[in-house]
Amino acid sequence: MKPLTPQETTRAAAVLPPASGWTSIVKDVSSDQRVFKDVPWGKPMMWIFLLSDTFIFGSFLISYMTVRASTTVPWPNPSEVFGLTLFGRSVPLLLIAIMTFVLISSSGTMALAVNYGYRKDRLTTCAFLVLTAGLGATFVCMQAFEWTKLILEGVRPWGNPWGAAQFGSAFFMITGFHGTHVTIGVIFLIIVATKVWRGDLDRQRPGFLTGRKGNYEIVEIMGLYWHFVDLVWVFIFAFFYLW
Amino acid sequence: MEHVEHAEHPHTAPDGDKTGPSAHGQQHPLGIYFKIWGLLFVLSTGSYLVDYFHFHGLLRWTLIVVFMLLKAGLIVAVFMHMVWERLALVYAIIVPPLLLMVLLGIGALEADYTHLTRGTFFAPPAAQPAPAAH
């Protein structure tokens, strides 16, 4: 990242309209060429993708609410279903709590990776990305464990031993879709970590798919995706496991 | 590839690419990330304890939703850098999901109605008071 010279900074400040106040929105939207100023184009693109994903997860959670509120059969108690027995006593929701902390930790390491990326600290960035991918993979493994446990206990998308049949379909659909996102995120992280490791972003080596020059912005864009996965989990945790 | 990039350059960045990486690198002190990280841990512990201590009714729901919204807000605002973005981007992303509230309302109404009709026509003995769904 080349630091701006003082003239460039003043010129940039003169070119960009003020960033705050509702009038700035009107000015940005009605301006020439670019609506989303002061960000690399990849960032609004990722944000718009995440917005569409928000609608998908939102629809899942709302349809889950609808089936849960409309069934006349009692809903299985998640606190017991997802409890673990530890040293002879059962702890409610233990596995889910651990998964939550693992995912939040991975979000923290991702934020640090973005920060070190903009400092051009290649090795630290790569280390944090690998750590994030590791925590993500741990999360997916724990989810696989949870699925296995429930399937062995007889939970199916069409029924379960404890109550409302819709429990299984809502559970597998919502956590399955979220787990898929985490898995894709881990693959994405490994790809970005490899690029950082090889120094592609320092040498502006063109990407193999897009041919665009490497840049540390991709670490931040990757970070947006990863934080979104964590964000969705916050809602799943509240509505599916704590309800 | 190299010459394509060069050919692109003159018209994407006529006067030194203001919108490029150097203008706005989202560089913030590390401390703020650690603070938010710690806060997220505290809030998660809080929402776990809501279940652990078996809170019920309105208290449970208030706590769950408050912890959830605080966590979501912190992640979007700081980890995803929304507080530092221009308002045009912030509003373009934050406002549309509010539409989901409409779907939520429709879903809740529909669920209540379905629950009522199921209770009336299919399973009178198993009919229970409608859970507070919203």
Side-chain angles (χ1 to χ4, degrees):
Chain A
M1 188 192 329
K2 183 167 56 81
L4 286 180
T5 62
Q7 304 98 298
E8 275 177 325
T9 317
T10 23
R11 218 156 20 117
V15 167
L16 285 177
S20 61
W22 66 271
T23 45
S24 77
I25 301 175
V26 179
K27 281 192 180 118
D28 280 7
V29 172
S30 59
S31 67
D32 190 24
Q33 292 187 359
R34 265 180 197 248
V35 172
F36 302 118
K37 298 172 194 308
D38 214 18
V39 284
W41 64 268
K43 249 168 95 170
M45 289 297 105
M46 180 51 94
W47 267 115
I48 288 164
F49 166 71
L50 296 180
L51 183 60
S52 67
D53 236 12
T54 307
F55 276 85
I56 292 179
F57 279 108
S59 306
F60 280 168
L61 285 171
I62 289 169
S63 54
Y64 150 71
M65 175 200 77
T66 310
V67 294
R68 179 159 176 178
S70 63
T71 176
T72 47
V73 184
W75 196 262
N77 181 0
S79 191
E80 287 159 23
V81 173
F82 301 106
L84 281 188
T85 309
L86 209 65
F87 306 117
R89 67 189 270 268
S90 82
V91 188
L93 275 187
L94 183 62
L95 184 65
I96 309 305
I98 298 171
M99 284 164 77
T100 304
F101 286 116
V102 166
L103 209 57
I104 286 178
S105 303
S106 77
S107 233
T109 53
M110 185 71 234
L112 296 183
V114 173
N115 198 281
Y116 280 100
Y118 281 130
R119 288 160 201 246
K120 300 262 177 186
D121 188 338
R122 188 168 68 87
L123 294 181
T124 317
T125 308
C126 183
F128 275 122
L129 285 172
V130 170
L131 189 58
T132 310
L135 288 167
T138 312
F139 179 89
V140 176
C141 289
M142 290 200 285
Q143 197 159 56
F145 171 78
E146 191 194 345
W147 274 47
T148 314
K149 185 167 162 281
L150 286 197
I151 291 169
L152 289 177
E153 283 170 348
V155 182
R156 298 288 182 274
W158 53 86
N160 64 75
W162 312 293
Q166 295 94 329
F167 174 82
S169 52
F171 172 77
F172 288 123
M173 192 72 203
I174 295 173
T175 61
F177 209 72
H178 178 262
T180 311
H181 275 74
V182 180
T183 312
I184 293 169
V186 170
I187 296 166
F188 194 0
L189 274 165
I190 291 168
I191 294 172
V192 173
T194 315
K195 283 174 176 250
V196 173
W197 173 254
R198 283 194 309 216
D200 288 13
L201 308 187
D202 298 296
R203 289 183 283 110
Q204 303 203 327
R205 175 175 155 167
F208 98 108
L209 197 63
T210 59
R212 294 198 172 260
K213 285 186 202 163
N215 189 308
Y216 275 98
E217 283 155 4
I218 68 161
V219 181
E220 192 186 358
I221 292 167
M222 159 79 244
L224 287 180
Y225 178 84
W226 191 257
H227 294 312
F228 176 77
V229 166
D230 188 22
L231 185 66
V232 170
W233 184 253
V234 169
F235 288 90
I236 296 177
F237 183 61
F239 290 131
F240 198 89
Y241 295 101
L242 294 180
W243 180 351
Chain B
M1 257 329 145
E2 206 54 35
H3 54 271
V4 175
E5 289 291 333
H6 281 302
E8 241 179 28
H9 223 70
H11 61 90
T12 49
D15 53 339
D17 204 9
K18 293 303 162 303
T19 47
S22 40
H24 198 235
Q26 291 291 2
Q27 185 60 273
H28 310 287
L30 279 178
I32 187 158
Y33 294 109
F34 285 115
K35 276 178 207 137
I36 299 303
W37 200 352
L39 218 47
L40 287 173
F41 263 84
V42 172
L43 290 170
S44 296
T45 313
S47 46
Y48 176 64
L49 291 180
V50 169
D51 191 67
Y52 192 82
F53 290 127
H54 300 293
F55 288 144
H56 283 295
L58 191 64
L59 178 66
R60 183 190 185 89
W61 273 103
T62 317
L63 287 174
I64 289 177
V65 171
V66 165
F67 286 140
M68 177 190 82
L69 290 179
L70 283 175
K71 277 163 77 180
L74 288 175
I75 292 171
V76 174
V78 180
F79 279 2
M80 297 170 102
H81 295 147
M82 253 326 184
V83 280
W84 296 289
E85 300 293 3
R86 295 175 68 83
L87 272 189
L89 179 61
V90 176
Y91 276 53
I93 303 302
I94 305 291
V95 174
L98 296 181
L99 283 174
L100 285 170
M101 293 295 142
V102 179
L103 187 58
L104 187 77
I106 295 170
L109 283 174
E110 177 72 12
D112 276 354
Y113 175 71
T114 313
H115 187 264
L116 189 75
T117 40
R118 278 179 178 165
T120 309
F121 295 108
F122 293 133
Q128 292 180 331
H134 7 268

